[in-house]
Amino acid sequence: MPERYVRFFWMLVALTWFALIAALVNAGFTPDYWLLHHLEGAELPYPTSTVIVFALLGTVELVVVALIVRPWKLRRLWLRLLIAFALLLAWSVPWMLSAMHQPPVHGTHLLWLLLLDVGLLLALCLVSAASAWRALKRRRRPGAPPPHH
């Protein structure tokens, strides 16, 4: 694949990262109503350390998924998408199970994981359908050699 596709992919990863950071920073400004209710209206400080921890965690998750998938290498892309989806889904389950009464930054991280899961699943479906279509076209081509078994 040409170098420009690789650069374009990493630019998309960077833009996704900026959107994630913006969402986490914004979630830090959202009041934690459950905690406010238990503290009887006390003023809560901005959760800087929580935002930083989840920003770093989101960065690692995004880079790991990007390095597993490597979409510029088309050979067995469906397999890499499947592996990344399965790993990310397994990583997301504990976050989903612990989501009850969590601060908004935690909820934003969970939403990020779910969006990444859905994106990988959609990409897996599209790549698998395209791969199956190409394989069917090759088999139906007149004069094509029979498939090797």
Side-chain angles (χ1 to χ4, degrees), residues 3-57:
E3 181 74 23
R4 66 180 178 188
Y5 293 124
V6 176
R7 274 185 276 148
F8 178 72
F9 172 73
W10 286 110
M11 283 179 26
L12 282 177
V13 168
L15 288 173
T16 303
W17 181 79
F18 282 124
L20 171 64
I21 298 304
L24 288 169
V25 168
N26 183 48
F29 287 109
T30 305
D32 185 352
Y33 294 110
W34 186 80
L35 190 58
L36 280 175
H37 175 71
H38 290 291
L39 296 178
E40 298 176 11
E43 186 75 23
L44 295 174
Y46 184 82
T48 306
S49 61
T50 305
V51 170
I52 290 172
V53 165
F54 280 104
L56 291 172
L57 192 58

CSV table of all heavy atoms in Angstrom, one decimal, residues 3-57:
chain,number,residue,atom,x,y,z
A,3,GLU,N,2.4,4.8,0.9
A,3,GLU,CA,2.7,5.5,2.1
A,3,GLU,C,1.5,6.5,2.5
A,3,GLU,O,1.3,6.7,3.7
A,3,GLU,CB,4.0,6.3,2.0
A,3,GLU,CG,4.4,7.0,3.3
A,3,GLU,CD,4.9,6.1,4.3
A,3,GLU,OE1,5.3,4.9,4.0
A,3,GLU,OE2,4.9,6.5,5.5
A,4,ARG,N,0.9,7.1,1.6
A,4,ARG,CA,-0.2,8.0,1.9
A,4,ARG,C,-1.4,7.4,2.6
A,4,ARG,O,-2.0,8.1,3.4
A,4,ARG,CB,-0.6,8.8,0.6
A,4,ARG,CG,-1.4,7.9,-0.4
A,4,ARG,CD,-1.8,8.7,-1.6
A,4,ARG,NE,-2.4,7.7,-2.5
A,4,ARG,CZ,-2.8,8.0,-3.7
A,4,ARG,NH1,-2.6,9.2,-4.1
A,4,ARG,NH2,-3.3,7.1,-4.4
A,5,TYR,N,-1.7,6.1,2.3
A,5,TYR,CA,-2.7,5.5,3.1
A,5,TYR,C,-2.4,5.3,4.5
A,5,TYR,O,-3.2,5.4,5.4
A,5,TYR,CB,-3.1,4.1,2.4
A,5,TYR,CG,-3.7,4.2,1.1
A,5,TYR,CD1,-3.1,3.6,0.0
A,5,TYR,CD2,-4.8,5.0,0.9
A,5,TYR,CE1,-3.7,3.7,-1.3
A,5,TYR,CE2,-5.4,5.1,-0.4
A,5,TYR,CZ,-4.8,4.4,-1.5
A,5,TYR,OH,-5.4,4.6,-2.7
A,6,VAL,N,-1.1,4.9,4.8
A,6,VAL,CA,-0.7,4.8,6.1
A,6,VAL,C,-0.7,6.1,6.9
A,6,VAL,O,-1.2,6.2,8.0
A,6,VAL,CB,0.8,4.2,6.2
A,6,VAL,CG1,1.3,4.1,7.6
A,6,VAL,CG2,0.8,2.8,5.5
A,7,ARG,N,-0.3,7.2,6.2
A,7,ARG,CA,-0.3,8.5,6.9
A,7,ARG,C,-1.8,8.9,7.1
A,7,ARG,O,-2.1,9.5,8.2
A,7,ARG,CB,0.4,9.5,6.0
A,7,ARG,CG,1.9,9.6,6.3
A,7,ARG,CD,2.5,10.7,5.5
A,7,ARG,NE,2.8,10.1,4.2
A,7,ARG,CZ,2.8,10.8,3.1
A,7,ARG,NH1,2.6,12.1,3.0
A,7,ARG,NH2,3.0,10.2,1.9
A,8,PHE,N,-2.7,8.7,6.1
A,8,PHE,CA,-4.1,9.0,6.3
A,8,PHE,C,-4.7,8.2,7.5
A,8,PHE,O,-5.4,8.8,8.3
A,8,PHE,CB,-4.9,8.7,5.0
A,8,PHE,CG,-6.3,8.9,5.1
A,8,PHE,CD1,-6.8,10.2,5.1
A,8,PHE,CD2,-7.2,7.9,5.2
A,8,PHE,CE1,-8.2,10.5,5.2
A,8,PHE,CE2,-8.6,8.1,5.3
A,8,PHE,CZ,-9.0,9.4,5.3
A,9,PHE,N,-4.4,7.0,7.6
A,9,PHE,CA,-4.9,6.2,8.7
A,9,PHE,C,-4.4,6.7,10.1
A,9,PHE,O,-5.2,6.9,11.0
A,9,PHE,CB,-4.4,4.7,8.6
A,9,PHE,CG,-4.7,3.9,9.8
A,9,PHE,CD1,-6.0,3.5,10.1
A,9,PHE,CD2,-3.7,3.5,10.7
A,9,PHE,CE1,-6.3,2.7,11.2
A,9,PHE,CE2,-4.0,2.8,11.8
A,9,PHE,CZ,-5.3,2.4,12.1
A,10,TRP,N,-3.1,7.1,10.2
A,10,TRP,CA,-2.6,7.6,11.4
A,10,TRP,C,-3.2,9.0,11.7
A,10,TRP,O,-3.4,9.4,12.9
A,10,TRP,CB,-1.1,7.6,11.5
A,10,TRP,CG,-0.6,6.2,11.7
A,10,TRP,CD1,0.0,5.4,10.8
A,10,TRP,CD2,-0.8,5.4,12.9
A,10,TRP,NE1,0.3,4.2,11.4
A,10,TRP,CE2,-0.2,4.1,12.6
A,10,TRP,CE3,-1.4,5.6,14.1
A,10,TRP,CZ2,-0.2,3.1,13.6
A,10,TRP,CZ3,-1.4,4.6,15.0
A,10,TRP,CH2,-0.8,3.3,14.8
A,11,MET,N,-3.5,9.8,10.7
A,11,MET,CA,-4.2,11.1,10.9
A,11,MET,C,-5.6,10.8,11.4
A,11,MET,O,-6.1,11.6,12.3
A,11,MET,CB,-4.3,11.8,9.6
A,11,MET,CG,-3.0,12.5,9.2
A,11,MET,SD,-3.0,13.5,7.7
A,11,MET,CE,-4.6,14.0,7.4
A,12,LEU,N,-6.3,9.8,10.9
A,12,LEU,CA,-7.6,9.5,11.5
A,12,LEU,C,-7.5,9.0,12.9
A,12,LEU,O,-8.4,9.4,13.8
A,12,LEU,CB,-8.3,8.4,10.7
A,12,LEU,CG,-8.9,8.8,9.4
A,12,LEU,CD1,-9.5,7.5,8.6
A,12,LEU,CD2,-10.0,9.8,9.6
A,13,VAL,N,-6.5,8.3,13.3
A,13,VAL,CA,-6.3,7.8,14.6
A,13,VAL,C,-6.0,9.1,15.5
A,13,VAL,O,-6.6,9.2,16.6
A,13,VAL,CB,-5.1,6.9,14.7
A,13,VAL,CG1,-4.7,6.6,16.2
A,13,VAL,CG2,-5.5,5.5,14.1
A,14,ALA,N,-5.2,10.0,15.0
A,14,ALA,CA,-5.0,11.2,15.8
A,14,ALA,C,-6.2,12.1,16.0
A,14,ALA,O,-6.5,12.6,17.1
A,14,ALA,CB,-3.9,12.1,15.1
A,15,LEU,N,-7.0,12.2,15.0
A,15,LEU,CA,-8.3,12.9,15.1
A,15,LEU,C,-9.3,12.3,16.1
A,15,LEU,O,-9.9,12.9,16.9
A,15,LEU,CB,-9.0,13.1,13.8
A,15,LEU,CG,-8.3,14.1,12.8
A,15,LEU,CD1,-9.0,14.0,11.4
A,15,LEU,CD2,-8.3,15.5,13.4
A,16,THR,N,-9.3,10.9,16.0
A,16,THR,CA,-10.1,10.2,17.0
A,16,THR,C,-9.6,10.4,18.4
A,16,THR,O,-10.4,10.6,19.3
A,16,THR,CB,-10.1,8.7,16.6
A,16,THR,OG1,-10.5,8.5,15.3
A,16,THR,CG2,-11.0,7.9,17.6
A,17,TRP,N,-8.3,10.4,18.6
A,17,TRP,CA,-7.7,10.7,19.9
A,17,TRP,C,-8.1,12.0,20.4
A,17,TRP,O,-8.5,12.2,21.6
A,17,TRP,CB,-6.2,10.5,19.8
A,17,TRP,CG,-5.5,10.7,21.1
A,17,TRP,CD1,-5.5,9.8,22.2
A,17,TRP,CD2,-4.9,11.9,21.6
A,17,TRP,NE1,-4.8,10.4,23.2
A,17,TRP,CE2,-4.4,11.6,22.9
A,17,TRP,CE3,-4.6,13.1,21.0
A,17,TRP,CZ2,-3.7,12.6,23.6
A,17,TRP,CZ3,-3.9,14.0,21.7
A,17,TRP,CH2,-3.4,13.8,23.0
A,18,PHE,N,-8.0,13.1,19.5
A,18,PHE,CA,-8.4,14.4,20.0
A,18,PHE,C,-9.9,14.5,20.4
A,18,PHE,O,-10.2,15.1,21.4
A,18,PHE,CB,-8.1,15.4,18.9
A,18,PHE,CG,-6.7,15.8,18.8
A,18,PHE,CD1,-6.0,15.7,17.6
A,18,PHE,CD2,-6.0,16.3,19.9
A,18,PHE,CE1,-4.7,16.1,17.5
A,18,PHE,CE2,-4.6,16.7,19.8
A,18,PHE,CZ,-4.0,16.5,18.6
A,19,ALA,N,-10.7,13.8,19.6
A,19,ALA,CA,-12.1,13.8,20.0
A,19,ALA,C,-12.3,13.1,21.3
A,19,ALA,O,-13.2,13.5,22.2
A,19,ALA,CB,-12.9,13.1,18.9
A,20,LEU,N,-11.6,12.0,21.6
A,20,LEU,CA,-11.7,11.3,22.9
A,20,LEU,C,-11.2,12.2,24.0
A,20,LEU,O,-11.9,12.3,25.1
A,20,LEU,CB,-10.9,10.0,22.8
A,20,LEU,CG,-10.7,9.3,24.2
A,20,LEU,CD1,-12.0,8.8,24.7
A,20,LEU,CD2,-9.7,8.2,24.0
A,21,ILE,N,-10.1,12.9,23.9
A,21,ILE,CA,-9.6,13.8,24.9
A,21,ILE,C,-10.6,14.9,25.2
A,21,ILE,O,-10.9,15.2,26.3
A,21,ILE,CB,-8.2,14.3,24.5
A,21,ILE,CG1,-7.2,13.2,24.4
A,21,ILE,CG2,-7.8,15.4,25.5
A,21,ILE,CD1,-7.1,12.3,25.6
A,22,ALA,N,-11.2,15.5,24.1
A,22,ALA,CA,-12.2,16.5,24.3
A,22,ALA,C,-13.4,16.0,25.0
A,22,ALA,O,-14.0,16.7,25.9
A,22,ALA,CB,-12.6,17.1,22.9
A,23,ALA,N,-13.9,14.8,24.7
A,23,ALA,CA,-15.0,14.2,25.4
A,23,ALA,C,-14.7,14.0,26.9
A,23,ALA,O,-15.6,14.2,27.7
A,23,ALA,CB,-15.4,12.9,24.7
A,24,LEU,N,-13.5,13.5,27.2
A,24,LEU,CA,-13.1,13.3,28.6
A,24,LEU,C,-13.0,14.5,29.4
A,24,LEU,O,-13.5,14.6,30.5
A,24,LEU,CB,-11.8,12.5,28.6
A,24,LEU,CG,-11.9,11.0,28.2
A,24,LEU,CD1,-10.5,10.4,28.1
A,24,LEU,CD2,-12.7,10.2,29.2
A,25,VAL,N,-12.4,15.6,28.8
A,25,VAL,CA,-12.3,16.9,29.4
A,25,VAL,C,-13.7,17.4,29.7
A,25,VAL,O,-14.0,18.0,30.8
A,25,VAL,CB,-11.4,17.8,28.6
A,25,VAL,CG1,-11.5,19.3,29.1
A,25,VAL,CG2,-10.0,17.4,28.6
A,26,ASN,N,-14.6,17.3,28.7
A,26,ASN,CA,-15.9,17.8,28.9
A,26,ASN,C,-16.7,17.0,30.0
A,26,ASN,O,-17.4,17.6,30.7
A,26,ASN,CB,-16.7,17.7,27.5
A,26,ASN,CG,-18.1,18.3,27.6
A,26,ASN,OD1,-18.3,19.4,28.1
A,26,ASN,ND2,-19.0,17.5,27.2
A,27,ALA,N,-16.5,15.7,30.0
A,27,ALA,CA,-17.1,14.9,31.0
A,27,ALA,C,-16.6,15.3,32.4
A,27,ALA,O,-17.4,15.2,33.4
A,27,ALA,CB,-16.9,13.4,30.8
A,28,GLY,N,-15.4,15.8,32.5
A,28,GLY,CA,-14.9,16.2,33.8
A,28,GLY,C,-15.7,17.4,34.4
A,28,GLY,O,-15.8,17.6,35.6
A,29,PHE,N,-16.3,18.2,33.5
A,29,PHE,CA,-17.1,19.4,33.9
A,29,PHE,C,-18.5,19.0,34.2
A,29,PHE,O,-19.2,19.8,34.8
A,29,PHE,CB,-17.1,20.5,32.8
A,29,PHE,CG,-15.8,21.2,32.7
A,29,PHE,CD1,-15.0,21.0,31.6
A,29,PHE,CD2,-15.4,22.1,33.7
A,29,PHE,CE1,-13.7,21.7,31.5
A,29,PHE,CE2,-14.2,22.7,33.6
A,29,PHE,CZ,-13.4,22.5,32.5
A,30,THR,N,-18.9,17.8,33.9
A,30,THR,CA,-20.3,17.3,34.1
A,30,THR,C,-20.4,16.9,35.6
A,30,THR,O,-19.5,16.1,36.1
A,30,THR,CB,-20.6,16.1,33.3
A,30,THR,OG1,-20.5,16.5,31.9
A,30,THR,CG2,-22.1,15.7,33.5
A,31,PRO,N,-21.3,17.5,36.4
A,31,PRO,CA,-21.4,17.1,37.8
A,31,PRO,C,-21.8,15.6,38.0
A,31,PRO,O,-22.5,15.1,37.2
A,31,PRO,CB,-22.5,18.0,38.3
A,31,PRO,CG,-23.1,18.8,37.2
A,31,PRO,CD,-22.3,18.4,35.9
A,32,ASP,N,-21.2,15.1,39.0
A,32,ASP,CA,-21.5,13.7,39.4
A,32,ASP,C,-22.7,13.8,40.4
A,32,ASP,O,-22.5,14.0,41.6
A,32,ASP,CB,-20.3,13.1,40.1
A,32,ASP,CG,-20.5,11.6,40.4
A,32,ASP,OD1,-21.6,11.1,40.3
A,32,ASP,OD2,-19.5,11.0,40.8
A,33,TYR,N,-23.9,13.7,39.8
A,33,TYR,CA,-25.1,13.9,40.6
A,33,TYR,C,-25.2,12.9,41.8
A,33,TYR,O,-25.7,13.2,42.8
A,33,TYR,CB,-26.3,13.9,39.7
A,33,TYR,CG,-26.3,15.1,38.8
A,33,TYR,CD1,-26.2,14.9,37.4
A,33,TYR,CD2,-26.5,16.4,39.3
A,33,TYR,CE1,-26.1,16.0,36.6
A,33,TYR,CE2,-26.5,17.5,38.4
A,33,TYR,CZ,-26.3,17.3,37.1
A,33,TYR,OH,-26.3,18.3,36.2
A,34,TRP,N,-24.8,11.7,41.5
A,34,TRP,CA,-24.9,10.6,42.6
A,34,TRP,C,-24.0,11.0,43.8
A,34,TRP,O,-24.5,11.0,44.9
A,34,TRP,CB,-24.5,9.3,42.0
A,34,TRP,CG,-24.7,8.2,42.9
A,34,TRP,CD1,-25.9,7.5,43.2
A,34,TRP,CD2,-23.7,7.6,43.8
A,34,TRP,NE1,-25.7,6.5,44.1
A,34,TRP,CE2,-24.3,6.5,44.5
A,34,TRP,CE3,-22.3,7.8,44.0
A,34,TRP,CZ2,-23.7,5.7,45.4
A,34,TRP,CZ3,-21.7,7.0,44.9
A,34,TRP,CH2,-22.3,6.0,45.6
A,35,LEU,N,-22.8,11.5,43.5
A,35,LEU,CA,-21.9,11.9,44.6
A,35,LEU,C,-22.4,13.1,45.2
A,35,LEU,O,-22.3,13.3,46.5
A,35,LEU,CB,-20.5,12.0,44.0
A,35,LEU,CG,-19.4,12.2,45.0
A,35,LEU,CD1,-19.3,11.0,46.0
A,35,LEU,CD2,-18.0,12.4,44.3
A,36,LEU,N,-22.9,14.1,44.4
A,36,LEU,CA,-23.4,15.3,45.0
A,36,LEU,C,-24.6,15.1,46.0
A,36,LEU,O,-24.7,15.7,47.0
A,36,LEU,CB,-23.9,16.3,43.9
A,36,LEU,CG,-22.8,17.1,43.2
A,36,LEU,CD1,-23.4,17.9,42.0
A,36,LEU,CD2,-22.1,18.0,44.1
A,37,HIS,N,-25.4,14.1,45.6
A,37,HIS,CA,-26.6,13.8,46.4
A,37,HIS,C,-26.1,13.2,47.8
A,37,HIS,O,-26.7,13.6,48.8
A,37,HIS,CB,-27.4,12.7,45.7
A,37,HIS,CG,-28.6,12.2,46.5
A,37,HIS,ND1,-29.6,13.0,46.9
A,37,HIS,CD2,-28.8,11.0,47.1
A,37,HIS,CE1,-30.5,12.3,47.6
A,37,HIS,NE2,-29.9,11.1,47.8
A,38,HIS,N,-25.0,12.4,47.8
A,38,HIS,CA,-24.5,11.9,49.0
A,38,HIS,C,-23.7,12.8,49.8
A,38,HIS,O,-23.6,12.6,51.1
A,38,HIS,CB,-23.8,10.6,48.8
A,38,HIS,CG,-24.6,9.4,48.3
A,38,HIS,ND1,-25.5,8.8,49.1
A,38,HIS,CD2,-24.8,8.8,47.1
A,38,HIS,CE1,-26.2,7.9,48.5
A,38,HIS,NE2,-25.7,7.9,47.2
A,39,LEU,N,-23.2,13.8,49.2
A,39,LEU,CA,-22.4,14.9,49.9
A,39,LEU,C,-23.2,16.1,50.3
A,39,LEU,O,-22.7,17.1,50.7
A,39,LEU,CB,-21.2,15.3,49.1
A,39,LEU,CG,-20.1,14.2,48.9
A,39,LEU,CD1,-19.0,14.7,48.0
A,39,LEU,CD2,-19.6,13.7,50.2
A,40,GLU,N,-24.5,16.0,49.9
A,40,GLU,CA,-25.5,17.1,50.2
A,40,GLU,C,-25.1,18.4,49.7
A,40,GLU,O,-25.0,19.4,50.4
A,40,GLU,CB,-25.8,17.1,51.7
A,40,GLU,CG,-26.4,15.8,52.3
A,40,GLU,CD,-26.5,15.8,53.8
A,40,GLU,OE1,-26.4,16.9,54.4
A,40,GLU,OE2,-26.8,14.8,54.3
A,41,GLY,N,-24.8,18.4,48.4
A,41,GLY,CA,-24.6,19.7,47.7
A,41,GLY,C,-23.2,20.3,47.8
A,41,GLY,O,-23.0,21.5,47.5
A,42,ALA,N,-22.3,19.6,48.3
A,42,ALA,CA,-20.9,20.1,48.4
A,42,ALA,C,-20.3,20.4,47.0
A,42,ALA,O,-20.7,19.7,46.0
A,42,ALA,CB,-20.0,19.2,49.2
A,43,GLU,N,-19.4,21.3,46.9
A,43,GLU,CA,-18.8,21.7,45.6
A,43,GLU,C,-17.7,20.6,45.4
A,43,GLU,O,-16.8,20.4,46.2
A,43,GLU,CB,-18.2,23.1,45.7
A,43,GLU,CG,-17.6,23.6,44.4
A,43,GLU,CD,-18.7,24.0,43.4
A,43,GLU,OE1,-19.8,24.3,43.8
A,43,GLU,OE2,-18.3,23.9,42.2
A,44,LEU,N,-17.7,20.0,44.2
A,44,LEU,CA,-16.7,19.0,43.9
A,44,LEU,C,-15.7,19.6,43.0
A,44,LEU,O,-16.0,20.3,42.1
A,44,LEU,CB,-17.4,17.8,43.1
A,44,LEU,CG,-18.4,17.0,43.9
A,44,LEU,CD1,-19.0,16.0,43.0
A,44,LEU,CD2,-17.7,16.3,45.1
A,45,PRO,N,-14.4,19.3,43.2
A,45,PRO,CA,-13.3,19.8,42.4
A,45,PRO,C,-13.3,19.1,41.0
A,45,PRO,O,-13.9,18.0,40.9
A,45,PRO,CB,-12.0,19.5,43.2
A,45,PRO,CG,-12.4,18.3,44.0
A,45,PRO,CD,-13.9,18.5,44.3
A,46,TYR,N,-12.7,19.7,40.1
A,46,TYR,CA,-12.5,19.1,38.7
A,46,TYR,C,-11.7,17.8,38.9
A,46,TYR,O,-10.6,17.9,39.5
A,46,TYR,CB,-11.9,20.1,37.8
A,46,TYR,CG,-11.8,19.5,36.4
A,46,TYR,CD1,-12.9,19.6,35.5
A,46,TYR,CD2,-10.7,18.9,35.9
A,46,TYR,CE1,-12.9,19.1,34.2
A,46,TYR,CE2,-10.6,18.4,34.6
A,46,TYR,CZ,-11.7,18.5,33.8
A,46,TYR,OH,-11.7,17.9,32.5
A,47,PRO,N,-12.1,16.7,38.3
A,47,PRO,CA,-11.4,15.4,38.5
A,47,PRO,C,-10.2,15.3,37.5
A,47,PRO,O,-10.2,14.4,36.7
A,47,PRO,CB,-12.5,14.4,38.2
A,47,PRO,CG,-13.4,15.1,37.2
A,47,PRO,CD,-13.4,16.5,37.6
A,48,THR,N,-9.2,16.1,37.7
A,48,THR,CA,-8.0,16.2,36.8
A,48,THR,C,-7.3,14.8,36.7
A,48,THR,O,-7.1,14.4,35.6
A,48,THR,CB,-7.0,17.2,37.3
A,48,THR,OG1,-7.7,18.5,37.4
A,48,THR,CG2,-5.9,17.4,36.3
A,49,SER,N,-7.1,14.2,37.8
A,49,SER,CA,-6.3,12.9,37.8
A,49,SER,C,-7.1,11.8,37.1
A,49,SER,O,-6.6,11.0,36.3
A,49,SER,CB,-5.9,12.5,39.2
A,49,SER,OG,-7.1,12.3,40.0
A,50,THR,N,-8.5,11.8,37.3
A,50,THR,CA,-9.3,10.8,36.6
A,50,THR,C,-9.3,11.1,35.1
A,50,THR,O,-9.2,10.1,34.3
A,50,THR,CB,-10.7,10.9,37.2
A,50,THR,OG1,-10.7,10.8,38.6
A,50,THR,CG2,-11.6,9.8,36.6
A,51,VAL,N,-9.4,12.3,34.7
A,51,VAL,CA,-9.4,12.6,33.3
A,51,VAL,C,-8.0,12.2,32.7
A,51,VAL,O,-8.0,11.6,31.6
A,51,VAL,CB,-9.7,14.1,33.0
A,51,VAL,CG1,-9.4,14.5,31.6
A,51,VAL,CG2,-11.1,14.5,33.4
A,52,ILE,N,-7.0,12.5,33.3
A,52,ILE,CA,-5.6,12.1,32.8
A,52,ILE,C,-5.5,10.6,32.7
A,52,ILE,O,-5.0,10.1,31.7
A,52,ILE,CB,-4.5,12.7,33.7
A,52,ILE,CG1,-4.5,14.2,33.5
A,52,ILE,CG2,-3.2,12.1,33.4
A,52,ILE,CD1,-3.6,14.9,34.5
A,53,VAL,N,-5.9,9.9,33.8
A,53,VAL,CA,-5.8,8.4,33.7
A,53,VAL,C,-6.6,7.8,32.6
A,53,VAL,O,-6.1,7.0,31.8
A,53,VAL,CB,-6.3,7.8,35.1
A,53,VAL,CG1,-6.5,6.3,35.0
A,53,VAL,CG2,-5.3,8.1,36.2
A,54,PHE,N,-7.9,8.3,32.4
A,54,PHE,CA,-8.7,7.8,31.3
A,54,PHE,C,-8.2,8.2,29.9
A,54,PHE,O,-8.4,7.5,28.9
A,54,PHE,CB,-10.2,8.1,31.5
A,54,PHE,CG,-10.8,7.1,32.5
A,54,PHE,CD1,-11.0,7.5,33.8
A,54,PHE,CD2,-11.0,5.8,32.2
A,54,PHE,CE1,-11.6,6.6,34.7
A,54,PHE,CE2,-11.6,4.9,33.1
A,54,PHE,CZ,-11.8,5.3,34.4
A,55,ALA,N,-7.6,9.4,29.9
A,55,ALA,CA,-7.0,9.8,28.6
A,55,ALA,C,-5.8,8.9,28.2
A,55,ALA,O,-5.7,8.5,27.0
A,55,ALA,CB,-6.5,11.3,28.7
A,56,LEU,N,-5.0,8.6,29.2
A,56,LEU,CA,-3.9,7.7,28.9
A,56,LEU,C,-4.4,6.3,28.5
A,56,LEU,O,-3.9,5.6,27.6
A,56,LEU,CB,-2.9,7.6,30.1
A,56,LEU,CG,-2.1,8.9,30.4
A,56,LEU,CD1,-1.4,8.8,31.7
A,56,LEU,CD2,-1.2,9.2,29.2
A,57,LEU,N,-5.4,5.8,29.3
A,57,LEU,CA,-6.0,4.5,29.0
A,57,LEU,C,-6.6,4.5,27.6
A,57,LEU,O,-6.4,3.5,26.8
A,57,LEU,CB,-7.1,4.2,30.1
A,57,LEU,CG,-7.6,2.8,30.1
A,57,LEU,CD1,-6.5,1.8,30.4
A,57,LEU,CD2,-8.6,2.7,31.2
